[in-house]
Amino acid sequence: MEGGLAQAGTEQGQLDLARRGTGPRGQAVLVLAFFFVASAALIPDTMLSLVLLLSGLSLGALVLLLRRAGQAPARADAPAEVSDLPTLLEGDAAPCLIAGGEGELVFINRAARAMLSGEAPETLEAALSCRVNAAEAVVRRLTVALQRDGSASEDLVTPTGHMRLSVQRLEAGQSLWRIEELGRTAEDAEAGQLPVLTVGRGEAILYMNAAARQLAGGRPRRLSDLVIEGPEGHERRVLIRTADGTEDRRMTEISRAAGRREILLLPMDAEITEAAREEAGTIWSMVDALPVPILRLSVEGKIELANAAACHLLSIPARPEAELGDLMEGLGRSIREWLAEAASQPVESPSKPRSEFLRLSRSEIEVFVQVAVKPMPFDGRVALIAVLSDATELKTLEAQFVQSQKMQAIGQLAGGVAHDFNNLLTAITGHCDLLLLRHDQGDPDYGDLIQINQNANRAGALVGQLLAFSRKQTLRPEPLDLRDTLSDLTHLLNRLVGEKVTLSLSHDPVLPQIRADKRQLEQVLMNLVVNARDAMPEGGEIRVTTEVLHLEEEMHRDRAMVAPGDYVSVRVDDTGCGIPPDKLPKVFEPFFTTKRVGEGTGLGLSTAYGIIKQSGGFIFVDSTPGQGTCFTLLFPARAAEAEPEPEVLPPQTDEPTSARGDGVVLLVEDEAPVRAFASRALRLRGYTVLEAENAEDALEVLDSATQRIDVFVTDVIMPGMDGPSWVREALKTHPDTRVVFVSGYAEDSFAEFADKIPNSIFLPKPFSLAELTETVRRQMV
């Protein structure tokens, strides 16, 4: 090939010389020829004019000949054309291949076909894999260098010897790949190649390179057959048996892996260079093919070698000339200190590698890597082998677990806070109702009392949001047709969105019913529509769409698993500013908001999430910045042949009723203000009230009571014995007594006990005077 290229270069030079006839110098010669011919016609001297005429004609003919000589070969035999390369390369003694832009093989010369033993691979990597370990990684490195420099080459150590793989850019995106064998004479091997041998278990010699075989004068089976004495001293001096007698050598172990050792036998005065170590370290040719990312590090943290998998994971070249601390971060201490501590461990120690989770220093993507480091002997010093694994998914799952624990803790806190607030609000609203009984609308204090009552109700709504977020609120599910629910909401939603925003509703004509709390579902839809409106300050469109969704198999999305079956889907789409991708996973977190300070509490979507999940449904969000956001609600479709729903009590009014009751009520409440209000309210309606501060007192009152008790009104959570526990004891002697449970917690907190207690109902706090008395009256019936 080199001869062919030289010949091609000579022909190219001749062509260039010929083409000069058409360049500026050729044009000058033509002008000179024309001048000679014109002068011959003007000069009267016959002899001189004849000489000038012949000279001019000769120069013109020479220029024409040079022009023809420059054009004909360029058309017929241009060696730079890719179409003529196969003819030139076919007889090249070195294997040559031409690959297309996607790595497909276009041409294979005779020497390459012999190397492939008649096989016909389709890709460049497949063709080189018969000679090169990790051919894909080698091709990738050279391709990167080719795109940068126009040509590239790399010397490789293969099981069959040394070779040089070079590549050159051609036309039409093609590339020429050439393999050159780097064979050495015995003198070259003795002068330049280092004696290397691989020793396995039992000191058996598994491999010797040419220099080692020449030094030993053959192929010994065991290391003891070669080494007579040693190793001794800090230089590990050994006395070896050679073909010419005995000789002192320095034994250096360059690597150790899987029960094998790579050993160099150096002259006592030899210095080990990095190139020599690379030449001897044939084990790295095998390591490069492993799918596990592996690095060799110095004690200071400098990356000395990286296999192909590590280069891909870290986005670095094979010789990055960088330190580990430049690529990763995340330890509380410096990475150098951590590596120094790992290197201080005994090399032969069976202890586990030092492992740490580090984060790659990339700004565009978050990647976590688990790095396990262990020391190893290399070149008379301690080096570090680092095994890497992509821990991004593991860290993501860990973050999700931590987030779920945090949400659970906040939910428990919210439930506790809501319980205490509900007790306070019950006392406030209850005593306010008692005052309103003694004041009419003409009283000067009536307006102030109404303000107190309204603000207490607003506070109760906020507490309801906390309970909804923690999924511990009391829901009153009922069969709902979403078409009717949305129709009832349309007028209110149109008022909420304003004049700049268009609201459109679209329903599936065949929409099954769902089971949900109508009031809470309306709150969710209103919240989503208001958020969509706020995302479009300049106006836009909000589309609310309902449809039936049938799932043939499980749907996994956003850490949720939706079982197969029929669902009713509600989509709320807007054309607003959208949500950035980094904030999208946080939208359902409590107190997280994208609005400015003072424009939102951050509880809206977390409340919606709690309501939907407590109703047995799912809520998902999709958003594209600059295009809009879509919230999707999924509710299990209710079967048409479902059992009839139990009778639901009509909604209570806040207006006190004038009906008077007759009966005995045992009131058990540990909060004194709530007990005082409830006792006064029931007595005002004509009931006889027996009070108890806790469950133990209630049982004592029950034992000492001489009259028949009709209703137990008891708190659920109390110090000592709770409400359901003492009620079960009381029902043993008073089996026909009805029960009203009240609590600032949700009904779910004692649902399992309520199922076992007959004739019991639940009244959530805060409750008004009318709600309490009406509930007790119904239980008396």
CSV table of all heavy atoms in Angstrom, one decimal, residues 412-450:
chain,number,residue,atom,x,y,z
A,412,GLN,N,-48.8,12.5,59.7
A,412,GLN,CA,-49.1,12.2,61.1
A,412,GLN,C,-49.2,13.6,61.9
A,412,GLN,O,-50.0,13.8,62.7
A,412,GLN,CB,-48.1,11.3,61.7
A,412,GLN,CG,-48.2,9.9,61.1
A,412,GLN,CD,-47.1,9.0,61.7
A,412,GLN,OE1,-46.1,9.5,62.2
A,412,GLN,NE2,-47.2,7.7,61.5
A,413,LEU,N,-48.2,14.4,61.5
A,413,LEU,CA,-48.2,15.8,62.2
A,413,LEU,C,-49.5,16.5,61.9
A,413,LEU,O,-50.1,17.1,62.7
A,413,LEU,CB,-47.0,16.5,61.8
A,413,LEU,CG,-46.9,18.0,62.3
A,413,LEU,CD1,-46.8,18.0,63.8
A,413,LEU,CD2,-45.7,18.7,61.6
A,414,ALA,N,-49.9,16.5,60.6
A,414,ALA,CA,-51.1,17.2,60.2
A,414,ALA,C,-52.3,16.7,60.9
A,414,ALA,O,-53.2,17.4,61.3
A,414,ALA,CB,-51.2,17.1,58.6
A,415,GLY,N,-52.4,15.3,61.0
A,415,GLY,CA,-53.5,14.7,61.7
A,415,GLY,C,-53.6,15.1,63.1
A,415,GLY,O,-54.7,15.4,63.7
A,416,GLY,N,-52.4,15.2,63.8
A,416,GLY,CA,-52.4,15.6,65.2
A,416,GLY,C,-52.8,17.0,65.4
A,416,GLY,O,-53.5,17.4,66.3
A,417,VAL,N,-52.2,17.9,64.5
A,417,VAL,CA,-52.6,19.3,64.6
A,417,VAL,C,-54.0,19.5,64.3
A,417,VAL,O,-54.7,20.3,65.0
A,417,VAL,CB,-51.7,20.1,63.6
A,417,VAL,CG1,-52.2,21.6,63.5
A,417,VAL,CG2,-50.2,20.1,64.0
A,418,ALA,N,-54.6,18.8,63.3
A,418,ALA,CA,-56.0,19.0,63.0
A,418,ALA,C,-56.9,18.5,64.2
A,418,ALA,O,-57.9,19.2,64.4
A,418,ALA,CB,-56.3,18.1,61.8
A,419,HIS,N,-56.5,17.5,64.9
A,419,HIS,CA,-57.3,17.0,66.0
A,419,HIS,C,-57.4,18.1,67.1
A,419,HIS,O,-58.4,18.5,67.6
A,419,HIS,CB,-56.6,15.8,66.6
A,419,HIS,CG,-57.2,15.4,67.9
A,419,HIS,ND1,-56.6,15.7,69.1
A,419,HIS,CD2,-58.3,14.7,68.2
A,419,HIS,CE1,-57.4,15.3,70.1
A,419,HIS,NE2,-58.4,14.6,69.6
A,420,ASP,N,-56.2,18.7,67.4
A,420,ASP,CA,-56.2,19.8,68.4
A,420,ASP,C,-57.0,21.0,68.0
A,420,ASP,O,-57.7,21.6,68.8
A,420,ASP,CB,-54.8,20.2,68.8
A,420,ASP,CG,-54.0,19.0,69.5
A,420,ASP,OD1,-54.7,18.1,70.0
A,420,ASP,OD2,-52.8,19.0,69.4
A,421,PHE,N,-56.8,21.4,66.7
A,421,PHE,CA,-57.5,22.5,66.2
A,421,PHE,C,-59.0,22.3,66.2
A,421,PHE,O,-59.8,23.2,66.4
A,421,PHE,CB,-57.0,22.9,64.8
A,421,PHE,CG,-56.0,23.9,64.8
A,421,PHE,CD1,-54.6,23.6,64.9
A,421,PHE,CD2,-56.3,25.3,64.7
A,421,PHE,CE1,-53.6,24.5,64.9
A,421,PHE,CE2,-55.3,26.2,64.7
A,421,PHE,CZ,-54.0,25.9,64.8
A,422,ASN,N,-59.4,21.1,65.8
A,422,ASN,CA,-60.9,20.8,65.8
A,422,ASN,C,-61.5,20.9,67.2
A,422,ASN,O,-62.6,21.3,67.3
A,422,ASN,CB,-61.1,19.4,65.2
A,422,ASN,CG,-61.0,19.4,63.7
A,422,ASN,OD1,-61.2,20.4,63.0
A,422,ASN,ND2,-60.6,18.2,63.1
A,423,ASN,N,-60.8,20.5,68.2
A,423,ASN,CA,-61.3,20.7,69.6
A,423,ASN,C,-61.5,22.1,69.9
A,423,ASN,O,-62.5,22.5,70.5
A,423,ASN,CB,-60.3,20.0,70.6
A,423,ASN,CG,-60.5,18.5,70.7
A,423,ASN,OD1,-61.6,18.0,70.5
A,423,ASN,ND2,-59.4,17.8,70.9
A,424,LEU,N,-60.5,23.0,69.5
A,424,LEU,CA,-60.6,24.4,69.8
A,424,LEU,C,-61.7,25.0,69.0
A,424,LEU,O,-62.5,25.8,69.5
A,424,LEU,CB,-59.3,25.1,69.4
A,424,LEU,CG,-58.0,24.7,70.3
A,424,LEU,CD1,-56.8,25.4,69.7
A,424,LEU,CD2,-58.3,25.1,71.7
A,425,LEU,N,-61.8,24.6,67.7
A,425,LEU,CA,-62.9,25.2,66.9
A,425,LEU,C,-64.3,24.7,67.3
A,425,LEU,O,-65.2,25.5,67.2
A,425,LEU,CB,-62.6,24.8,65.4
A,425,LEU,CG,-61.4,25.4,64.8
A,425,LEU,CD1,-61.2,24.8,63.4
A,425,LEU,CD2,-61.6,26.9,64.7
A,426,THR,N,-64.4,23.5,67.8
A,426,THR,CA,-65.6,23.1,68.3
A,426,THR,C,-66.1,23.9,69.5
A,426,THR,O,-67.3,24.3,69.6
A,426,THR,CB,-65.5,21.6,68.7
A,426,THR,OG1,-65.1,20.8,67.6
A,426,THR,CG2,-66.9,21.1,69.3
A,427,ALA,N,-65.2,24.2,70.4
A,427,ALA,CA,-65.5,25.1,71.6
A,427,ALA,C,-65.9,26.5,71.1
A,427,ALA,O,-66.8,27.1,71.6
A,427,ALA,CB,-64.3,25.1,72.5
A,428,ILE,N,-65.1,27.0,70.1
A,428,ILE,CA,-65.4,28.4,69.6
A,428,ILE,C,-66.7,28.5,69.0
A,428,ILE,O,-67.6,29.3,69.3
A,428,ILE,CB,-64.3,28.9,68.7
A,428,ILE,CG1,-62.9,29.0,69.5
A,428,ILE,CG2,-64.6,30.2,68.0
A,428,ILE,CD1,-61.7,29.3,68.6
A,429,THR,N,-67.0,27.6,68.0
A,429,THR,CA,-68.2,27.7,67.2
A,429,THR,C,-69.4,27.3,68.2
A,429,THR,O,-70.5,27.9,68.0
A,429,THR,CB,-68.2,26.7,66.0
A,429,THR,OG1,-67.9,25.4,66.5
A,429,THR,CG2,-67.1,27.1,65.0
A,430,GLY,N,-69.2,26.4,69.1
A,430,GLY,CA,-70.3,26.0,70.0
A,430,GLY,C,-70.7,27.1,70.9
A,430,GLY,O,-71.9,27.4,71.0
A,431,HIS,N,-69.8,27.7,71.5
A,431,HIS,CA,-70.1,28.8,72.4
A,431,HIS,C,-70.7,30.0,71.6
A,431,HIS,O,-71.5,30.8,72.1
A,431,HIS,CB,-68.9,29.2,73.3
A,431,HIS,CG,-68.6,28.3,74.4
A,431,HIS,ND1,-67.8,27.2,74.2
A,431,HIS,CD2,-69.1,28.2,75.7
A,431,HIS,CE1,-67.7,26.5,75.4
A,431,HIS,NE2,-68.5,27.1,76.3
A,432,CYS,N,-70.2,30.2,70.4
A,432,CYS,CA,-70.7,31.2,69.5
A,432,CYS,C,-72.2,30.9,69.3
A,432,CYS,O,-73.1,31.8,69.3
A,432,CYS,CB,-69.9,31.3,68.3
A,432,CYS,SG,-70.4,32.7,67.2
A,433,ASP,N,-72.5,29.7,69.0
A,433,ASP,CA,-73.9,29.3,68.8
A,433,ASP,C,-74.8,29.5,70.0
A,433,ASP,O,-76.0,30.0,69.9
A,433,ASP,CB,-74.0,27.8,68.4
A,433,ASP,CG,-73.5,27.6,67.0
A,433,ASP,OD1,-73.4,28.5,66.2
A,433,ASP,OD2,-73.2,26.4,66.6
A,434,LEU,N,-74.2,29.3,71.2
A,434,LEU,CA,-75.0,29.6,72.4
A,434,LEU,C,-75.2,31.0,72.6
A,434,LEU,O,-76.3,31.5,73.0
A,434,LEU,CB,-74.2,29.0,73.6
A,434,LEU,CG,-74.0,27.5,73.7
A,434,LEU,CD1,-73.1,27.1,74.9
A,434,LEU,CD2,-75.4,26.9,74.0
A,435,LEU,N,-74.3,31.9,72.2
A,435,LEU,CA,-74.5,33.3,72.3
A,435,LEU,C,-75.5,33.8,71.3
A,435,LEU,O,-76.3,34.7,71.6
A,435,LEU,CB,-73.2,34.1,72.1
A,435,LEU,CG,-72.2,34.0,73.2
A,435,LEU,CD1,-70.8,34.6,72.8
A,435,LEU,CD2,-72.7,34.7,74.4
A,436,LEU,N,-75.5,33.2,70.1
A,436,LEU,CA,-76.5,33.6,69.1
A,436,LEU,C,-77.9,33.2,69.5
A,436,LEU,O,-78.9,33.8,69.0
A,436,LEU,CB,-76.1,32.9,67.7
A,436,LEU,CG,-74.9,33.4,67.0
A,436,LEU,CD1,-74.6,32.6,65.8
A,436,LEU,CD2,-75.2,34.9,66.5
A,437,LEU,N,-78.1,32.3,70.4
A,437,LEU,CA,-79.4,32.0,70.9
A,437,LEU,C,-80.0,33.1,71.7
A,437,LEU,O,-81.2,33.2,71.8
A,437,LEU,CB,-79.4,30.7,71.7
A,437,LEU,CG,-79.1,29.4,71.0
A,437,LEU,CD1,-79.0,28.2,72.0
A,437,LEU,CD2,-80.1,29.1,69.9
A,438,ARG,N,-79.2,33.9,72.2
A,438,ARG,CA,-79.6,35.0,73.1
A,438,ARG,C,-79.6,36.4,72.4
A,438,ARG,O,-79.8,37.4,73.0
A,438,ARG,CB,-78.8,35.1,74.4
A,438,ARG,CG,-78.8,33.8,75.2
A,438,ARG,CD,-78.3,34.0,76.6
A,438,ARG,NE,-77.0,34.5,76.6
A,438,ARG,CZ,-75.9,33.7,76.7
A,438,ARG,NH1,-76.1,32.4,76.7
A,438,ARG,NH2,-74.7,34.2,76.8
A,439,HIS,N,-79.2,36.4,71.1
A,439,HIS,CA,-79.1,37.7,70.4
A,439,HIS,C,-79.8,37.5,69.0
A,439,HIS,O,-79.6,36.5,68.3
A,439,HIS,CB,-77.6,38.0,70.1
A,439,HIS,CG,-76.8,38.3,71.3
A,439,HIS,ND1,-76.4,37.4,72.2
A,439,HIS,CD2,-76.4,39.5,71.9
A,439,HIS,CE1,-75.7,37.9,73.2
A,439,HIS,NE2,-75.7,39.3,73.0
A,440,ASP,N,-80.6,38.5,68.7
A,440,ASP,CA,-81.3,38.5,67.4
A,440,ASP,C,-80.6,39.4,66.5
A,440,ASP,O,-79.6,40.1,66.8
A,440,ASP,CB,-82.8,38.8,67.6
A,440,ASP,CG,-83.0,40.2,68.3
A,440,ASP,OD1,-82.0,41.0,68.3
A,440,ASP,OD2,-84.1,40.4,68.8
A,441,GLN,N,-81.1,39.6,65.3
A,441,GLN,CA,-80.4,40.4,64.2
A,441,GLN,C,-80.4,41.9,64.6
A,441,GLN,O,-79.5,42.6,64.1
A,441,GLN,CB,-81.1,40.2,62.9
A,441,GLN,CG,-80.9,38.7,62.4
A,441,GLN,CD,-81.5,38.6,61.0
A,441,GLN,OE1,-82.0,39.6,60.4
A,441,GLN,NE2,-81.5,37.4,60.4
A,442,GLY,N,-81.2,42.3,65.4
A,442,GLY,CA,-81.2,43.7,65.8
A,442,GLY,C,-80.2,44.0,66.9
A,442,GLY,O,-80.0,45.2,67.2
A,443,ASP,N,-79.6,43.0,67.5
A,443,ASP,CA,-78.7,43.2,68.6
A,443,ASP,C,-77.4,43.8,68.0
A,443,ASP,O,-76.9,43.3,67.0
A,443,ASP,CB,-78.5,41.9,69.3
A,443,ASP,CG,-77.8,42.1,70.7
A,443,ASP,OD1,-76.6,42.6,70.7
A,443,ASP,OD2,-78.4,41.9,71.7
A,444,PRO,N,-76.7,44.8,68.7
A,444,PRO,CA,-75.5,45.3,68.2
A,444,PRO,C,-74.4,44.3,68.1
A,444,PRO,O,-73.4,44.4,67.3
A,444,PRO,CB,-75.1,46.4,69.2
A,444,PRO,CG,-76.4,46.8,69.8
A,444,PRO,CD,-77.3,45.5,69.9
A,445,ASP,N,-74.4,43.2,69.0
A,445,ASP,CA,-73.4,42.2,69.0
A,445,ASP,C,-73.6,41.1,68.0
A,445,ASP,O,-72.7,40.2,67.8
A,445,ASP,CB,-73.2,41.6,70.4
A,445,ASP,CG,-72.8,42.6,71.4
A,445,ASP,OD1,-72.1,43.6,71.0
A,445,ASP,OD2,-73.1,42.5,72.6
A,446,TYR,N,-74.7,41.1,67.3
A,446,TYR,CA,-75.1,40.0,66.4
A,446,TYR,C,-74.1,39.9,65.3
A,446,TYR,O,-73.6,38.8,64.9
A,446,TYR,CB,-76.5,40.2,65.9
A,446,TYR,CG,-76.9,39.0,65.0
A,446,TYR,CD1,-77.4,37.9,65.6
A,446,TYR,CD2,-76.9,39.1,63.6
A,446,TYR,CE1,-77.9,36.8,64.8
A,446,TYR,CE2,-77.3,38.1,62.9
A,446,TYR,CZ,-77.8,36.9,63.5
A,446,TYR,OH,-78.2,35.8,62.7
A,447,GLY,N,-73.7,41.1,64.7
A,447,GLY,CA,-72.7,41.0,63.6
A,447,GLY,C,-71.4,40.5,64.0
A,447,GLY,O,-70.7,39.8,63.2
A,448,ASP,N,-70.9,40.9,65.2
A,448,ASP,CA,-69.6,40.4,65.6
A,448,ASP,C,-69.7,38.9,65.8
A,448,ASP,O,-68.7,38.1,65.5
A,448,ASP,CB,-69.2,41.0,66.9
A,448,ASP,CG,-69.0,42.5,66.8
A,448,ASP,OD1,-68.7,43.0,65.6
A,448,ASP,OD2,-69.2,43.3,67.8
A,449,LEU,N,-70.8,38.4,66.4
A,449,LEU,CA,-70.9,36.9,66.6
A,449,LEU,C,-70.9,36.2,65.2
A,449,LEU,O,-70.3,35.1,65.1
A,449,LEU,CB,-72.2,36.6,67.4
A,449,LEU,CG,-72.2,37.1,68.8
A,449,LEU,CD1,-73.5,36.9,69.5
A,449,LEU,CD2,-71.1,36.4,69.6
A,450,ILE,N,-71.6,36.8,64.3
A,450,ILE,CA,-71.6,36.1,62.9
A,450,ILE,C,-70.2,36.1,62.3
A,450,ILE,O,-69.8,35.1,61.7
A,450,ILE,CB,-72.6,36.9,62.0
A,450,ILE,CG1,-74.0,36.7,62.5
A,450,ILE,CG2,-72.4,36.4,60.6
A,450,ILE,CD1,-74.5,35.2,62.4
